[in-house]
Amino acid sequence: MIPDPDTLLIVGSIAFDDLDMPGGEHRNVLGGSATYASLAASLLLRPGATRIVGVVGNDFSESILSDLQARGIETSGVERASGRTFRWHGRYSDDLASRTTLDTQLNVFADFSPKVPREHRASSFVFLGNIHPKLQVDVVEQVARRKFVAADTMNFWISGEPAHLAQMLRCVDLLVVNDEEARQLSGIHNLVRAAADIRKRGPKALVIKRGEFGALLFDDSGTFFVPAYPLEDVVDPTGAGDSFAGGLMGYLASQGEVSPLILRKAMFFAAALGSFCVESIGPARLQSLGRSELSARIGAFARLVDHGGDLLRSS
Ligand code: AMP
């Protein structure tokens, strides 16, 4: 099997979300970790190079899949099972800084056992969205010629499935988590120390997302930081973390290889895609986003952190 150099396989949830926002309630919004990550990555890859693997129920219309395909996402790995699609209901605080899960209905996701279609097993890059760590390992094993694997996880698996999570960590190159998850996983509050601890357990690189406070990358070349893009209007943070990870992996796959410099550039694409995600309810902004808008935001990001290169001269 010859590896496909610039292809990205994404596995995770595909969902309908009910979102209680300070400004109103939104029902049956398209969601899920794989959905957000694929929409973000597909902006950076040629049509068909972003491959989504997940499960939906009878209530998931063909037209939603067609919309994903129209964005260049290959959907032959989306299984249709009899029953209802995974549903998540969340309520955000008035300042959008925190959210509470009101209800999670696994539905067809409960028996999900991801099967990577034969034609996608030569994918070079793999993003394991937030699913049971055992299933994440199963997916990795199906992608024989993988070059670079990244994974996300959540508090539920960190506390509930430590053995499977430890196994998952041993087979990924990059872990992408938020600060709370990094602290919970390592048992260490200081993020620099937490990162060192987690990197000893498998992933050579670690990204810690900090929402509006940006994101940190830790790898063998040191520590790198990208801010969150300062936005006047944040509408809905749902999926920002998945869009960040999808943007990061999409950029890496577009380059066909990973180096410390490429990883650092990828952090900006990740942050830019995360920033677009929060500008609308659900993934609508990502679904309408064009490459020139993305490019303009990357430019704005570069200006945001460009201090001109001056260092303090020794007197
Ligand atoms: P994020 O805001 O990046 O954490 O991602 C939010 C998305 O994750 C929503 O669209 C949900 O449908 C999905 N989600 C919520 N809970 C779970 C879960 N337990 N497993 C998988 N996906 C989930």
Side-chain angles (χ1 to χ4, degrees):
M1 199 188 297
I2 301 167
D4 299 336
D6 61 349
T7 48
L8 171 62
L9 185 90
I10 294 174
V11 61
S13 57
I14 302 175
F16 286 126
D17 293 340
D18 289 338
L19 307 169
D20 296 1
M21 311 306 298
E25 295 181 352
H26 304 269
R27 298 289 173 255
N28 299 316
V29 178
L30 176 64
S33 57
T35 311
Y36 281 103
S38 302
L39 284 167
S42 62
L43 264 138
L44 300 167
L45 292 170
R46 63 177 168 79
T50 308
R51 297 142 170 201
I52 184 170
V53 170
V55 64
V56 298
N58 318 110
D59 53 353
F60 199 89
S61 78
E62 273 303 317
S63 69
I64 306 177
L65 289 178
S66 310
D67 289 346
L68 295 178
Q69 287 156 12
R71 299 295 290 175
I73 300 167
E74 169 52 60
T75 62
S76 58
V78 177
E79 190 187 322
R80 190 179 285 279
S82 100
R84 271 158 59 89
T85 299
F86 174 77
R87 300 186 88 88
W88 177 75
H89 185 178
R91 175 177 295 151
Y92 283 86
S93 59
D94 283 346
D95 60 2
L96 297 178
S98 60
R99 73 179 181 206
T100 313
T101 293
L102 298 180
D103 191 23
T104 300
Q105 294 174 19
L106 293 176
N107 300 330
V108 294
F109 202 48
D111 300 314
F112 180 46
S113 164
K115 283 175 261 338
V116 178
R118 176 169 292 281
E119 66 274 19
H120 295 168
R121 291 189 188 168
S123 300
S124 293
F125 291 78
V126 182
F127 176 61
L128 307 166
N130 172 27
I131 52 174
H132 193 297
K134 184 184 174 317
L135 299 182
Q136 292 178 314
V137 173
D138 285 349
V139 170
V140 173
E141 286 169 354
Q142 292 177 56
V143 186
R145 297 295 167 87
R146 60 194 179 268
K147 198 164 173 177
F148 190 87
V149 181
D152 183 10
T153 190
M154 68 186 286
N155 49 7
F156 186 68
W157 308 124
I158 296 170
S159 55
E161 294 287 357
H164 285 298
L165 193 79
Q167 196 194 349
M168 182 274 273
L169 290 178
R170 284 194 293 273
C171 61
V172 302
D173 302 288
L174 167 69
L175 184 73
V176 185
V177 287
N178 66 33
D179 40 11
E180 255 174 60
E181 291 155 353
R183 287 180 173 127
Q184 190 187 352
L185 181 56
S186 61
I188 300 171
H189 186 80
N190 177 286
L191 291 179
V192 179
R193 289 172 195 264
D197 175 87
I198 293 168
R199 291 180 58 229
K200 278 191 209 137
R201 305 185 195 191
K204 285 214 171 58
L206 173 73
V207 169
I208 301 183
K209 299 169 289 178
R210 309 195 66 202
E212 63 177 311
F213 304 111
L216 289 158
L217 163 72
F218 300 87
D219 68 2
D220 285 345
S221 295
T223 307
F224 186 73
F225 172 71
V226 65
Y229 190 73
L231 290 169
E232 215 165 295
D233 289 314
V234 174
V235 176
D236 171 18
T238 309
D242 303 307
S243 305
F244 182 101
L248 186 99
M249 288 302 284
Y251 183 77
L252 296 181
S254 75
Q255 301 302 295
E257 57 173 329
V258 181
S259 70
L261 180 61
I262 291 173
L263 253 180
R264 282 155 178 74
K265 289 184 186 177
M267 290 285 284
F268 281 90
F269 284 82
L273 282 152
S275 74
F276 279 115
C277 172
V278 305
E279 287 183 327
S280 67
I281 296 292
R285 184 73 182 97
L286 290 179
Q287 286 175 298
S288 68
L289 187 63
R291 283 173 67 96
S292 58
E293 292 173 292
L294 175 59
S295 180
R297 186 152 298 175
I298 297 291
F301 249 112
R303 290 191 294 281
L304 185 68
V305 293
D306 182 4
H307 86 310
D310 254 3
L311 296 175
L312 192 63
R313 282 195 206 98
S314 55
S315 52

